[in-house]
Amino acid sequence: MLFANKNSGTNKALLFIIAICLSISSCKNTDPNNSKKVFHINYTAGLESIDPAFAKELYIMWTVHMVYNTLLETDEQLHLVPSLAKHWEISPDGLTYTFYIRNDVYFQDNEVFAGGKGRKMTAQDIAYSFNRLIDPVTASPGSWIFNERVSKTNPFSALNDTTMQVHLSKPFRPLLQMLTMPYCSVVPHEAIEHWGKDFRAHPCGTGPFMFHYWDEGNVLVLHRNPHYWEHDSNGSPLPYLDAVQISFYDSKSTEFFLFLQHKLDWVNGVDGSFKDLVIAKDGTLKKEFADKFHLTKQTYFNTEYIGFLTDTTRALLKNNSIANPLVRRAINYAIDRKKIVTYFRNGMAIPAIGFIPAAMPGYDPNHNFGYTYDPAKAARLLEEAGYPGGKGLTPFKVISPDNWIDILNFISTELKDVGIPMEVDVTQANIVKQQMSQSNAVAFRGQWIADYPDAESYLVCFNSQYPAPPNYTRFNNPLFDKWYEQSLNAADSLRWRLYSQMDSLAMSYAPVVPLYYEYLMQFTQNNISGFRSTPMNLIDVKRVHIN
């Protein structure tokens, strides 16, 4: 009865309400001006800013991506594609990146420009935007992209209006992927100088949508940029939509109800209260909803894991069995990841092997490392570690927010079966992150979502030269660090091989228990087409059609 549904009464009530929502035609959203194509979405948390320099959270990233452009972008197949830069070159020593910029891009019409008409964007604007990102006065959380990587003198230079260079202090091949991040969006200096800190609420970029109205916490409206530079393959101007309207209902269940009532056109993910009602155990829509709306399931660069502190110089690990890699490996073998994915995630994830998620450039589908479910092997490792049948092991504690309780309780039961005692310490998410950063937790529930499509963004978590974050486990291995440095200026084929070796080496010491790689589960109304999303969950609505 481990997987029995204890909320069947609640689920029946929800199912009844869903049936009503799906059957009543008056639930359908009607725009007062139905000739306008308005795309309705919801953010379940507030929006702190629309300034790219502060694009540290998903909703800020989504909004920034609608209003601004970057030098290049990542498509759905993870290929780098031109955006503001038509093409680029890398010097043989890997230290200079030269970008050739479009000369037909204009900033959106805005009061900060002469006559309110947007001016042409130039290479000088890109250099200004990047310098602003690393300026201590800006205090951008995205400054890490360039700090310690770019030259100390003249890191960004505009050779003319259409040629711009980035100068590195040492080679770093993932730079191009990092430049696709919303942090690296291009802004006009006039808007920054005019608005100062209030630029957060008065965005101006070169993107497909332009700022119209923001009642913070209630609604944000973006209008189509009539002078946007990009066209589709048929030569038609983008975007197709007239506007994007964003609401701010903070409940995921409320959000999904609004979607069922056709008051939202798209929803990212599904609330736990609806998961079992709507999604089958194989991760598909249940048959009663199959013709009601669309479900798209795609790769998501998100590894969910349990992390261990591995720095044995810490007093916290003195006489603690978690300090022993054999015990950490035994824990990995004792957990049935397939059951977790099936019964707790409804097939909306892939059981993890290593730390690098499936389909990430640098992920090796033919690897022979990592962990599968093998309790007998876990028992042998415990005996080898000096704890036969778990005798002599003291309980280790995993700190976690409450949204992982069911999974952690299941893991605790599985570990108990092989003699490993585990406790769960439920605490607030911000305190969990604080304890992780300060190395005050023996074990913790972790999640790592890629900032950019390169496996280096995962392997950096085990580089001893970095603090926490990203190295929350304090993993330290000289060979790992050596391979990491070698990869920074290696050709792709060698880089991928080094990435696989690094993942294998780290997993052999088991600083983490990788549990699963999540899928992106996104719902759209039947009349919506053209919606796109990258595996980093960066949405693109400029090609959305409302039929």
Side-chain angles (χ1 to χ4, degrees):
M1 298 300 290
L2 177 61
F3 308 112
N5 188 348
K6 298 178 181 179
N7 300 305
S8 58
T10 302
N11 286 345
K12 288 178 181 177
L14 282 172
L15 192 58
F16 177 71
I17 295 171
I18 289 173
I20 293 175
C21 288
L22 293 174
S23 63
I24 299 177
S25 59
S26 61
C27 286
K28 213 165 170 98
N29 185 31
T30 54
D31 196 291
N33 185 354
N34 57 19
S35 65
K36 297 294 184 183
K37 301 294 186 181
V38 181
F39 189 62
H40 295 85
I41 63 177
N42 181 68
Y43 293 173
T44 54
L47 189 66
E48 293 182 11
S49 176
I50 315 177
D51 181 345
F54 297 90
K56 62 181 180 178
E57 297 170 353
L58 191 60
Y59 293 147
I60 305 177
M61 295 179 196
W62 288 354
T63 313
V64 165
H65 194 53
M66 296 180 209
V67 177
Y68 297 90
N69 291 120
T70 48
L71 281 174
L72 51 161
E73 293 186 338
T74 303
D75 65 15
E76 293 170 292
Q77 287 74 43
L78 302 176
H79 300 133
L80 289 172
V81 295
S83 185
L84 295 179
K86 295 185 294 183
H87 56 97
W88 49 88
E89 298 171 351
I90 306 173
S91 63
D93 62 7
L95 296 178
T96 302
Y97 286 66
T98 302
F99 298 91
Y100 299 94
I101 312 302
R102 300 182 66 98
N103 65 355
D104 59 349
V105 178
Y106 288 80
F107 284 109
Q108 297 151 0
D109 292 345
N110 194 284
E111 63 186 277
V112 302
F113 302 121
K117 186 172 179 61
R119 65 164 175 84
K120 183 178 286 190
M121 186 276 305
T122 68
Q124 287 84 358
D125 294 304
I126 300 168
Y128 169 83
S129 300
F130 289 178
N131 275 309
R132 176 177 179 256
L133 196 65
I134 63 174
D135 187 343
V137 174
T138 306
S140 168
S143 61
W144 62 269
I145 293 173
F146 296 123
N147 285 346
E148 308 303 324
R149 292 195 175 106
V150 295
S151 172
K152 299 294 183 184
T153 58
N154 194 30
F156 314 110
S157 58
L159 306 186
N160 52 52
D161 283 355
T162 58
T163 310
M164 184 265 182
Q165 289 184 331
V166 176
H167 306 282
L168 301 184
S169 57
K170 65 178 182 178
F172 187 73
R173 286 292 176 179
L175 178 70
L176 292 174
Q177 283 78 9
M178 295 178 80
L179 291 178
T180 67
M181 296 172 63
Y183 281 129
C184 299
S185 300
V186 178
V187 301
H189 68 87
E190 295 93 335
I192 307 298
E193 293 161 359
H194 179 83
W195 292 111
K197 291 187 179 300
D198 286 340
F199 178 64
R200 61 171 287 279
H202 297 86
C204 178
T206 61
F209 297 93
M210 54 194 296
F211 179 76
H212 177 65
Y213 174 74
W214 187 12
D215 178 7
E216 295 196 34
N218 292 309
V219 65
L220 169 65
V221 179
L222 304 174
H223 279 182
R224 179 180 184 273
N225 176 5
H227 308 299
Y228 187 56
W229 56 273
E230 202 171 359
H231 295 72
D232 66 15
S233 58
N234 296 319
S236 299
L238 296 174
Y240 304 132
L241 296 168
D242 293 299
V244 177
Q245 182 168 312
I246 302 163
S247 56
F248 293 89
Y249 296 99
D250 61 4
S251 165
K252 286 293 291 183
S253 58
T254 299
E255 178 183 73
F256 203 74
F257 271 126
L258 291 170
F259 176 77
L260 294 174
Q261 295 173 320
H262 291 260
K263 292 180 179 178
L264 294 175
D265 294 304
W266 169 82
V267 169
N268 180 62
V270 60
D271 179 67
S273 60
F274 288 98
K275 175 170 61 68
D276 292 329
L277 291 169
V278 177
I279 307 295
K281 294 302 181 185
D282 63 355
T284 61
L285 276 178
K286 288 188 174 180
K287 60 181 181 179
E288 56 264 41
F289 301 104
D291 63 342
K292 305 299 183 183
F293 43 79
H294 292 301
L295 167 62
T296 302
K297 184 168 77 170
Q298 71 177 74
T299 299
Y300 186 20
F301 292 155
N302 175 23
T303 300
E304 301 278 352
Y305 69 98
I306 296 172
F308 300 114
L309 182 63
T310 64
D311 183 357
T312 54
T313 66
R314 305 269 172 173
L316 202 61
L317 287 186
K318 187 177 181 181
N319 300 321
N320 194 309
S321 56
I322 290 300
N324 189 330
L326 294 174
V327 173
R328 300 196 299 265
R329 291 176 63 197
I331 291 171
N332 268 280
Y333 280 116
I335 298 171
D336 190 337
R337 294 160 175 81
K338 289 183 179 179
K339 280 186 178 178
I340 292 175
V341 166
T342 300
Y343 295 105
F344 295 98
R345 299 302 301 146
N346 286 53
M348 298 188 295
I350 303 170
I353 300 295
F355 198 62
I356 300 174
M360 165 69 80
Y363 172 83
D364 181 5
N366 300 313
H367 58 61
N368 57 1
F369 61 88
Y371 299 95
T372 55
Y373 181 52
D374 192 340
K377 193 166 187 176
R380 290 196 297 271
L381 285 165
L382 286 179
E383 185 170 0
E384 185 181 347
Y387 305 103
K391 186 177 180 180
L393 283 175
T394 55
F396 75 94
K397 185 181 296 183
V398 179
I399 62 170
S400 170
D402 61 4
N403 61 336
W404 251 50
I405 293 304
D406 289 347
I407 292 178
L408 288 175
N409 284 338
F410 169 75
I411 289 172
S412 177
T413 300
E414 293 222 307
L415 295 184
K416 184 179 179 181
D417 289 344
V418 297
I420 302 174
M422 171 186 141
E423 298 175 352
V424 182
D425 183 4
V426 179
T427 188
Q428 295 177 0
N430 62 322
I431 296 177
V432 172
K433 186 61 68 70
Q434 182 183 67
Q435 297 285 77
M436 291 165 60
S437 299
Q438 296 174 353
S439 298
N440 287 333
V442 169
F444 51 86
R445 178 264 172 173
Q447 175 191 45
W448 195 259
I449 301 174
D451 291 308
Y452 45 94
D454 191 286
E456 183 274 339
S457 63
Y458 282 84
L459 297 169
V460 70
C461 295
F462 304 119
N463 188 321
S464 68
Q465 304 306 306
Y466 288 87
N471 189 357
Y472 290 113
T473 66
R474 303 289 184 177
F475 184 75
N476 186 338
N477 184 283
L479 181 57
F480 182 98
D481 293 349
K482 177 184 176 181
W483 286 342
Y484 179 90
E485 289 299 318
Q486 289 176 353
S487 74
L488 297 183
N489 196 32
D492 284 351
S493 58
L494 175 58
R495 267 203 305 150
W496 304 155
R497 188 160 67 251
L498 288 169
Y499 285 171
S500 181
Q501 291 175 193
M502 282 186 273
D503 201 12
S504 175
L505 178 62
M507 290 306 101
S508 70
Y509 287 91
V512 297
V513 180
L515 293 171
Y516 56 84
Y517 316 126
E518 207 163 25
Y519 282 121
L520 275 177
M521 309 290 285
Q522 299 178 329
F523 300 84
T524 53
Q525 301 293 354
N526 286 337
N527 65 328
I528 301 296
S529 61
F531 179 89
R532 297 182 180 183
S533 178
T534 71
M536 285 77 66
N537 200 10
L538 188 62
I539 66 174
D540 184 357
V541 300
K542 61 178 175 275
R543 292 178 175 82
V544 167
H545 276 287
I546 300 179
N547 304 313

